[in-house]
Amino acid sequence: MYKGINLMGYRFSTSKCLTICLGLTFIMGCFLASLPIQSDAPALPKPIRHQISSEYRPKKRLAIIVPFRDRFEELLEFVPHMFNFLNKQKIPFDIFIIQQTDSYRFNRASLINVGFLLVKNNCDYIAMHDVDLLPMNNDLSYDYPENGPVHISSPQTHPKYHYDTFIGGILLIKNEHFELVKGMSNNYWGWGLEDDEFYVRLKDAGLKVKRPENISTGPENTFKHIHDKTYRKRDMRKCFNQREVTRRRDRVTGLHDVSYHLLGERKVTIDTLPLTVHNVQLLCDEKLTPWCKCPEPPAKTKPKKT
Ligand code: UDP
Ligand code: MN
């Protein structure tokens, strides 16, 4: 009996038959593969590669440090104003009031040093900010001062101080730069000159202070200075050798030796807006800076006519 296949009168052996089948399958496969693929289904979207751009950085956090004593009415105006102003710029920020509670003369620079030590782990940069100076021009940017300190209240726009090296009022500085210059001098009790000494620190460290550019407003309308000078008198007394010492650059004191006790931290809201008040008792080495106390000058009495 023949074991092969009988096809249209031809006889094929099983192995021949298998070879022909395989050959035909191969030819058909090649033919089908060469046909262009046509499909009515919509083309699948190309897979998206989620790349983390080197440009992407989360926004830096700002701590507003306000050296403070006995300016409550000003604070009530300052806080809502700053929330409104900085929210427009989408700056993530917190306000810290560093309130001096001892009975020494006001020491703005030491309060800023203490404020920095308290907040530095929760922010990337600080604004040393007078409580009575409200920015009115939305072009004043409070962005992260990456390349060096930015003096917001420039001499061109500050309502009162117009000398070139003035850096008081409002200054932005990143944490690393504030640490680089060892913070501010602790020698300045009473009003003035601590900001000028800080300017020299920045200069000596090679940090150039930038100021906002293309500001169309001037000294009359860039800031609102809510300081009533008859009610809030500046303490301009000079006692002991204060004048002589504070005119010089201080290479000794700063962040590392500011001496204080923390009396407490209070979370407060003004019109539901949150802020933190740190009550700080500054300590004074009266041998080194006896002018932290300044005896009141004796009241002038007219000699009685006899
Ligand atoms: N300051 C304060 N209580 C004082 C003195 C000063 O709170 O008794 C703070 C307050 O933040 C103020 C800043 O220090 O805005 C600067 O002081 P001041 O306004 O007297 O100086 P100015 O820039 O007006 O000469
Ligand atoms: Mn003022």
Side-chain angles (χ1 to χ4, degrees):
M1 197 177 101
Y2 182 68
K3 278 193 178 164
I5 294 167
N6 196 335
L7 191 66
M8 295 160 76
Y10 292 96
R11 284 180 169 184
F12 295 96
S13 70
T14 313
S15 61
K16 250 189 193 167
C17 197
L18 213 73
T19 314
I20 291 167
C21 280
L22 280 175
L24 282 173
T25 312
F26 177 76
I27 290 164
M28 281 296 283
C30 287
F31 174 69
L32 286 174
S34 68
L35 286 177
I37 299 170
Q38 280 179 345
S39 167
D40 291 340
L44 286 174
K46 281 187 184 165
I48 298 165
R49 244 174 223 227
H50 288 283
Q51 279 187 340
I52 295 179
S53 153
S54 57
E55 290 298 300
Y56 175 77
R57 289 190 197 102
K59 271 225 157 186
K60 303 285 189 183
R61 193 153 197 93
L62 164 66
I64 300 204
I65 295 182
V66 182
F68 184 86
R69 176 153 78 186
D70 189 25
R71 299 279 186 112
F72 190 61
E73 309 87 292
E74 297 173 12
L75 184 66
L76 291 180
E77 201 170 336
F78 175 77
V79 171
H81 181 88
M82 291 313 294
F83 270 84
N84 184 32
F85 184 84
L86 291 176
N87 284 345
K88 278 188 219 146
Q89 295 188 18
K90 299 195 167 43
I91 306 266
F93 72 99
D94 301 286
I95 296 182
F96 298 92
I97 306 300
I98 316 299
Q99 171 160 247
Q100 186 173 344
T101 58
D102 53 82
S103 52
Y104 293 119
R105 299 168 74 198
F106 190 69
N107 189 328
R108 177 176 176 268
S110 288
L111 293 173
I112 292 171
N113 282 342
V114 175
F116 180 79
L117 293 172
L118 294 174
V119 306
K120 65 174 184 174
N121 294 330
N122 297 313
C123 68
D124 303 292
Y125 64 119
I126 62 165
M128 15 180 122
H129 214 300
D130 283 3
V131 72
D132 60 9
L133 205 57
L134 311 183
M136 304 306 290
N137 184 331
N138 289 321
D139 293 337
L140 296 169
S141 164
Y142 277 55
D143 271 345
Y144 182 61
E146 171 74 63
N147 302 317
V150 172
H151 186 217
I152 299 286
S153 49
S154 71
Q156 292 79 32
T157 56
H158 191 280
K160 190 168 162 60
Y161 302 113
H162 304 127
Y163 56 95
D164 271 0
T165 57
F166 172 67
I167 54 161
I170 308 164
L171 184 82
L172 307 181
I173 184 166
K174 67 177 184 178
N175 294 6
E176 293 82 352
H177 285 160
F178 194 70
E179 277 169 341
L180 177 74
V181 298
K182 300 205 294 190
M184 300 185 80
S185 166
N186 296 308
N187 288 345
Y188 292 81
W189 303 88
W191 177 89
L193 289 184
E194 80 293 342
D195 44 359
D196 294 342
E197 201 278 342
F198 191 63
Y199 175 84
V200 186
R201 287 186 179 215
L202 298 176
K203 195 169 163 245
D204 286 355
L207 293 175
K208 197 169 163 358
V209 176
K210 289 208 204 78
R211 303 232 165 81
E213 283 168 12
N214 304 321
I215 296 297
S216 58
T217 49
E220 303 299 321
N221 52 355
T222 308
F223 299 93
K224 192 169 157 198
H225 192 192
I226 50 174
H227 181 166
D228 181 337
K229 66 176 191 298
T230 47
Y231 189 43
R232 305 285 184 212
K233 284 209 177 351
R234 297 179 175 97
D235 172 6
M236 299 170 112
R237 293 168 293 163
K238 297 286 177 266
C239 296
F240 304 93
N241 54 339
Q242 177 177 8
R243 195 182 298 276
E244 185 194 322
V245 173
T246 56
R247 269 205 329 246
R248 277 188 261 130
R249 162 83 155 87
D250 169 14
R251 293 182 190 280
V252 179
T253 79
L255 256 186
H256 55 285
D257 68 350
V258 60
S259 184
Y260 65 100
H261 289 314
L262 265 188
L263 299 188
E265 173 188 328
R266 307 299 297 265
K267 299 283 181 195
V268 179
T269 57
I270 294 177
D271 298 343
T272 76
L273 305 168
L275 57 142
T276 305
V277 178
H278 287 288
N279 286 328
V280 174
Q281 181 184 15
L282 293 180
L283 304 173
C284 167
D285 182 338
E286 293 183 31
K287 286 195 197 75
L288 287 174
T289 57
W291 56 88
C292 58
K293 283 183 184 162
C294 208
E296 292 293 337
K300 278 181 190 160
T301 46
K302 282 186 183 168
K304 277 184 187 155
K305 282 180 186 166
T306 48

